[in-house]
Amino acid sequence: MSTKPAIGFCGLGAMGMGMATHLVKQGHPVTGFDVYAPSLEKFCSAGGTRSTSLAASAADKAFYIVMVASSPQAQPALFGADGIVKALPQGATLILCSTVASSYARSVEREMRGVGRGDVFFIDAPVSGGAGRAADGTLSIMAGASAAALERGKWLLEEMSAPGKLFVVDGGIGAGSNMKMVHQILAAIQILAVSEAYGFAARLGLNGQDVFDKVVKSQGWSWMFENRSQRTLKEDYFPGASAVTIILKDAGIITYMSRSVNFPSKLCSVAEQVYFSALDRGWGANDDAGLVRLWTSNPVSSISSTETSDKESKLQLVVDLLTGIHLVSAAEAISLAHHVGIPLPQLYELACDAAGGSEMFKQAGGNMIEILEKKGDGTGSVLGGYTEKLKLAVDKAQEIKCPLFLGSAALNELLATGPELSLVKLLEAYRVAGGVQGEIEIQ
Amino acid sequence: MSTKPAIGFCGLGAMGMGMATHLVKQGHPVTGFDVYAPSLEKFCSAGGTRSTSLAASAADKAFYIVMVASSPQAQPALFGADGIVKALPQGATLILCSTVASSYARSVEREMRGVGRGDVFFIDAPVSGGAGRAADGTLSIMAGASAAALERGKWLLEEMSAPGKLFVVDGGIGAGSNMKMVHQILAAIQILAVSEAYGFAARLGLNGQDVFDKVVKSQGWSWMFENRSQRTLKEDYFPGASAVTIILKDAGIITYMSRSVNFPSKLCSVAEQVYFSALDRGWGANDDAGLVRLWTSNPVSSISSTETSDKESKLQLVVDLLTGIHLVSAAEAISLAHHVGIPLPQLYELACDAAGGSEMFKQAGGNMIEILEKKGDGTGSVLGGYTEKLKLAVDKAQEIKCPLFLGSAALNELLATGPELSLVKLLEAYRVAGGVQGEIEIQ
């Protein structure tokens, strides 16, 4: 029998299943709970122990991980009559890995004290990296908690994350969720950008595989593009791996939070409206890679690229579209982080390599942070080239009557920097300097 | 027989038919040409003379009016082998009333000189006001031309326009079209706003007629709202009176022109992308009031409003949505006018009462112009109230998963004004101060 500590685990979806089975592989006795019976079956086949009661999954577990989809799912699981909190043993460590508003994470801490479970060590620890890295135990994890709780739970967070990818964010409970939200602004924008790029390309007559091959080696690269393309190219949307409703939930948390602190989350709002449109079409449960169907009903990999010199210049337009969007999304995320007081270098370290990563974030993000932290004056960071290239893409899209929701909005942000076309001006449009600094708070 | 001068007229669509029959009623012998035979029939029944050849319609006409839909239609009509320019008598006056890019109007003048018709007096005179005012001879007309041409053609422009609604714009050929384009940025945004408002209202469970009654007496009033509602409430979209392709053409001219002078036409770009989406659904030839179908497939007048105190607060959210959009659209149009050097007081006088008019343009436009002309410091013009109200509308829309393309973008512009929430900051976001001043030029 294993000598490693037993772990309780609630929420065996795409991410949770990977995380829980990874812990099984590492030699932990893991007891899993999920409302969906086939997931429990699958978890058993992978060596886990099933539990059909939340209380039973938590009884006698010194460590418990919650990885459900949202706070409305977490709340009854944690605090229901037959819930986790009541059943945990004295002094247990409870880790909430779901993406939730930071205010929700803080409310969990309060409510545990309120129900007499102030003895539980609680960690707010959302993750990033996708199902593959979850299963490999190489996630990025953003953790906020008391020093005592971190001391107890850190080994377990390390077990699930890649070396150097456990980010302990200062600020206690809520700080991890804040960091995750800022990261998700990149994800929410870039997920739609994948479909907008493939949709534009399809209407230009470009083959999906050609687009993939070009983009992944270009300045237009993003983690999301590389990841989602696997499903886009196979039309693997039913259900695929990540439903539209999942990223819409995150986008909703971000824009609601942004409004509450008077921050203009411009591109993220654009993405959110398009996600709503996808819901209206009945695509909520489909993979978000299927948003490309807003542009084309043909499989993108079935299109035969025109075999002329034209093809290369058209592919370049797609790269320029993505590059422009990613540049502005980097400014938006970093500005929001600054606005709400998240450590910018830590965000940079985290996001370059996580699901919100992009070549433009890597290239320009450091410079943006220097400007915001007044370490650089932004001299030499002129956006003229990116603006002119994005303009050509938007011109072409207009010519072929192809909507570019993000591309046109990103271009307007670049144009609004005025004749200077500088990073400084781009960041000023997000008003970080004069912004209301404040803690992220949502009820 | 009439002693009034004979007039040739090309383009008997919704607007042209009204203008031409009005001239007939005023006692002019009018010879009309159109490629669509039923329009010629209709024109004959109204007392006009039909012509099945462009050349014949122009022969011996000292005055000729062109009111086709676009420059691609105007070009062959004017310069084709059997076209108007070749057939006009010596020293004729030619008035182009179509909405075209100013650069196209200038190219017509050049080309006439090039083909040896420098003797023709040419006037660039786009109109606004809708089919009803066209038929009543009470249009608003924006005219640019040489003094000599205006001297000859002014009486005819006055015949078609309301008293005080003939605006002679300084700058010669192209100036009228520039003014019209700036006006159309209001129209292009506000047409989508009508559908967004009715769509939001439908999802809130509000009856269309209730919405109409509330909005037309409120700060959310716009000319477009009052005008388009007549068709929205009857689902009169097939074909209705103004096709999506018409406003999309104007939006396209505006955003292309804006990109070429580095001006961020933010809300207009949002509207353009949604118009593209409507084309994708096959709605191009339908009335633009039918865009509400992006939100609801039920007739908005069939919805039974909830009869509770709730109803009034929901109606107020719809008013606040429109108010916020119209406020930002006013800033966008006035900033563009300033950017390209159009006389702002003339724009104000024109637009308050034309198809781009709105209560917010009237209320805030004058103040914005004072700020841009450095006559006022914008003190006291604080947007806080509008921002907070629009925020509540966007919060509610998010809750019911209703896309607000314009509402969310307008809110972000207001939020981006920072803690000052002032008109000055709103205008600065359009970078007029540091903008590249330049003539509008499109090829």
Side-chain angles (χ1 to χ4, degrees):
Chain A
M1 193 171 163
S2 171
T3 57
K4 293 200 175 181
I7 299 166
F9 202 106
C10 171
L12 298 167
M15 294 292 291
M17 183 68 79
M19 293 159 73
T21 53
H22 169 73
L23 292 171
V24 168
K25 282 187 203 140
Q26 298 307 303
H28 294 279
V30 183
T31 303
F33 175 85
D34 199 283
V35 291
Y36 186 60
S39 296
L40 286 177
E41 289 295 335
K42 191 174 164 193
F43 183 57
C44 278
S45 332
T49 303
R50 97 175 70 187
S51 171
T52 51
S53 132
L54 276 167
S57 75
D60 302 321
K61 303 297 183 307
F63 297 92
Y64 200 97
I65 296 170
V66 175
M67 187 55 191
V68 294
S70 63
S71 52
Q73 288 183 11
Q75 184 63 13
L78 289 169
F79 295 106
D82 184 42
I84 296 159
V85 168
K86 196 178 277 182
L88 285 173
Q90 191 70 14
T93 300
L94 173 66
I95 303 177
L96 178 60
C97 290
S98 305
T99 295
V100 299
S102 54
S103 56
Y104 178 71
R106 282 192 290 270
S107 80
V108 170
E109 188 180 40
R110 271 196 308 274
E111 192 163 345
M112 284 204 292
R113 279 200 304 269
V115 298
R117 293 310 309 264
D119 61 292
V120 173
F121 294 94
F122 180 51
I123 303 177
D124 161 40
V127 309
S128 176
R133 282 171 57 189
D136 293 344
T138 57
L139 288 167
S140 298
I141 303 186
M142 296 137 268
S146 67
L150 285 166
E151 194 182 316
R152 276 170 180 77
K154 201 170 178 185
W155 69 269
L156 181 48
L157 297 170
E158 280 169 346
E159 194 90 282
M160 298 186 288
S161 57
K165 295 299 174 193
L166 170 60
F167 298 89
V168 174
V169 188
D170 285 347
I173 294 298
S177 288
N178 273 348
M179 179 65 96
K180 168 80 181 184
M181 272 301 103
V182 168
H183 173 270
Q184 285 308 89
I185 206 169
L186 296 164
I189 296 166
Q190 279 146 217
I191 282 174
L192 179 59
V194 176
S195 284
E196 186 164 304
Y198 275 112
F200 179 43
R203 296 217 187 166
L204 289 170
L206 294 168
N207 175 270
Q209 187 65 48
D210 288 348
V211 173
F212 178 79
D213 294 343
K214 174 79 179 183
V215 169
V216 291
K217 285 177 291 184
S218 77
Q219 267 196 319
W221 176 86
S222 70
W223 187 97
M224 280 297 175
F225 187 87
E226 186 161 353
N227 179 273
R228 295 314 200 248
S229 289
Q230 305 313 315
R231 304 200 282 276
T232 309
L233 294 173
K234 288 185 232 150
E235 293 206 298
D236 176 16
Y237 312 142
F238 315 103
S242 194
V244 169
T245 48
I246 299 285
I247 192 62
L248 176 56
K249 173 195 64 106
D250 289 1
I253 296 176
I254 296 160
T255 60
Y256 187 91
M257 164 187 102
S258 295
R259 288 195 295 278
S260 74
V261 297
N262 294 322
F263 179 83
S265 52
K266 301 181 188 193
L267 294 193
C268 189
S269 295
V270 169
E272 187 185 16
Q273 310 315 309
V274 179
Y275 294 143
F276 284 142
S277 304
L279 282 196
D280 288 345
R281 297 204 176 197
W283 298 351
N286 302 161
D287 196 276
D288 57 45
L291 289 164
V292 69
R293 291 172 293 161
L294 287 168
W295 283 266
T296 177
S297 51
N298 295 324
V300 300
S301 48
S302 73
I303 299 166
S304 301
S305 286
T306 37
E307 288 298 342
T308 62
S309 60
D310 210 17
K311 176 178 155 186
E312 198 46 42
S313 66
K314 285 177 173 174
L315 285 169
Q316 191 58 46
L317 289 177
V318 178
V319 168
D320 294 340
L321 170 66
L322 285 166
T323 305
I325 294 169
H326 298 161
L327 176 62
V328 179
S329 72
E332 189 160 312
I334 291 171
S335 296
L336 175 60
H338 187 247
H339 193 79
V340 297
I342 282 171
L344 301 185
Q346 202 176 29
L347 168 66
Y348 185 76
E349 202 189 333
L350 166 75
C352 274
D353 216 22
S358 71
E359 186 60 29
M360 290 312 292
F361 186 90
K362 274 186 212 168
Q363 285 186 19
N367 214 325
M368 290 178 187
I369 290 169
E370 281 187 0
I371 292 167
L372 291 177
E373 298 194 329
K374 314 268 189 264
K375 289 176 186 157
D377 60 1
T379 312
S381 305
V382 173
L383 304 172
Y386 296 115
T387 306
E388 288 308 313
K389 285 177 179 173
L390 182 54
K391 219 187 250 188
L392 292 176
V394 174
D395 280 348
K396 185 68 185 179
Q398 181 174 57
E399 188 189 319
I400 62 173
K401 303 190 191 306
C402 171
L404 294 184
F405 300 100
L406 291 171
S408 61
L411 176 59
N412 279 325
E413 287 311 305
L414 293 176
L415 291 176
T417 62
E420 298 92 348
L421 294 168
S422 72
L423 279 184
V424 174
K425 295 285 177 188
L426 180 61
L427 294 165
E428 269 178 21
Y430 285 100
R431 293 271 151 212
V432 287
V436 181
Q437 297 272 339
E439 197 184 12
I440 301 171
E441 263 301 348
I442 336 179
Q443 296 318 318
Chain B
M1 191 171 162
S2 172
T3 57
K4 292 199 175 181
I7 299 166
F9 202 106
C10 171
L12 299 167
M15 293 292 290
M17 183 68 78
M19 293 160 73
T21 52
H22 169 73
L23 292 170
V24 169
K25 283 186 203 141
Q26 299 307 303
H28 293 280
V30 183
T31 303
F33 175 86
D34 199 283
V35 292
Y36 186 58
S39 295
L40 285 177
E41 288 296 334
K42 191 175 165 192
F43 184 57
C44 279
S45 330
T49 304
R50 97 176 70 186
S51 172
T52 51
S53 132
L54 276 167
S57 75
D60 301 321
K61 302 298 183 306
F63 298 92
Y64 199 98
I65 296 169
V66 174
M67 188 55 191
V68 294
S70 63
S71 52
Q73 289 183 11
Q75 184 63 13
L78 289 168
F79 296 106
D82 184 40
I84 296 159
V85 169
K86 196 179 277 183
L88 285 173
Q90 190 71 14
T93 299
L94 172 66
I95 304 178
L96 177 60
C97 290
S98 306
T99 295
V100 298
S102 55
S103 56
Y104 178 71
R106 283 190 290 270
S107 81
V108 169
E109 187 179 41
R110 271 196 309 274
E111 193 162 345
M112 284 204 292
R113 280 198 305 269
V115 299
R117 293 310 310 263
D119 62 292
V120 172
F121 294 95
F122 180 52
I123 303 177
D124 160 40
V127 308
S128 176
R133 281 172 58 189
D136 293 342
T138 58
L139 289 168
S140 298
I141 303 186
M142 296 136 268
S146 67
L150 284 167
E151 195 182 317
R152 274 170 180 76
K154 202 170 177 185
W155 70 270
L156 182 49
L157 297 170
E158 281 169 345
E159 195 89 283
M160 298 186 289
S161 58
K165 294 299 174 192
L166 170 60
F167 298 89
V168 174
V169 189
D170 286 346
I173 294 297
S177 288
N178 273 348
M179 180 65 97
K180 168 80 181 183
M181 272 302 102
V182 169
H183 173 269
Q184 285 309 89
I185 206 170
L186 295 165
I189 296 166
Q190 280 146 216
I191 281 173
L192 179 59
V194 175
S195 284
E196 187 164 302
Y198 275 112
F200 178 44
R203 297 219 187 165
L204 288 171
L206 294 168
N207 175 270
Q209 187 65 47
D210 288 347
V211 174
F212 178 79
D213 295 342
K214 175 79 179 183
V215 169
V216 290
K217 286 177 288 183
S218 78
Q219 267 195 319
W221 176 87
S222 71
W223 188 98
M224 281 297 175
F225 187 88
E226 186 160 353
N227 179 272
R228 295 316 200 250
S229 288
Q230 305 314 316
R231 305 201 281 276
T232 309
L233 294 173
K234 288 184 232 148
E235 292 206 298
D236 176 17
Y237 313 141
F238 315 102
S242 193
V244 170
T245 48
I246 300 285
I247 193 60
L248 177 55
K249 174 195 63 107
D250 289 1
I253 296 176
I254 296 160
T255 60
Y256 187 90
M257 165 187 101
S258 296
R259 289 195 294 278
S260 74
V261 297
N262 293 323
F263 178 83
S265 52
K266 300 181 188 193
L267 294 193
C268 189
S269 294
V270 169
E272 187 185 17
Q273 310 316 309
V274 179
Y275 294 143
F276 285 142
S277 303
L279 281 196
D280 288 346
R281 296 203 177 198
W283 299 349
N286 302 162
D287 196 277
D288 57 45
L291 290 164
V292 69
R293 291 172 293 161
L294 287 169
W295 283 267
T296 177
S297 50
N298 296 325
V300 298
S301 48
S302 73
I303 300 165
S304 302
S305 284
T306 37
E307 289 298 340
T308 62
S309 60
D310 211 16
K311 177 177 155 187
E312 198 46 41
S313 66
K314 284 176 174 174
L315 286 169
Q316 190 58 45
L317 289 176
V318 178
V319 168
D320 294 341
L321 169 67
L322 286 166
T323 305
I325 293 169
H326 298 161
L327 176 62
V328 179
S329 73
E332 189 160 312
I334 291 171
S335 296
L336 175 59
H338 187 248
H339 193 79
V340 298
I342 281 172
L344 301 186
Q346 202 175 32
L347 169 66
Y348 185 76
E349 203 189 330
L350 166 75
C352 274
D353 216 23
S358 70
E359 186 61 29
M360 290 312 291
F361 187 89
K362 273 184 211 169
Q363 285 187 18
N367 213 327
M368 290 177 187
I369 290 170
E370 281 187 1
I371 293 167
L372 291 177
E373 297 195 332
K374 316 267 189 262
K375 289 176 187 159
D377 59 0
T379 311
S381 307
V382 173
L383 304 172
Y386 296 115
T387 306
E388 289 308 313
K389 285 176 180 175
L390 182 54
K391 218 188 251 188
L392 292 177
V394 174
D395 280 348
K396 184 67 185 179
Q398 181 173 55
E399 188 189 318
I400 63 173
K401 302 189 192 307
C402 172
L404 295 183
F405 301 100
L406 290 171
S408 61
L411 177 59
N412 279 325
E413 286 311 305
L414 293 176
L415 291 177
T417 62
E420 298 92 349
L421 294 168
S422 72
L423 279 184
V424 174
K425 294 285 176 187
L426 180 61
L427 294 165
E428 268 177 21
Y430 285 101
R431 292 274 150 209
V432 287
V436 180
Q437 298 270 340
E439 198 184 14
I440 301 171
E441 264 300 349
I442 334 179
Q443 296 319 316

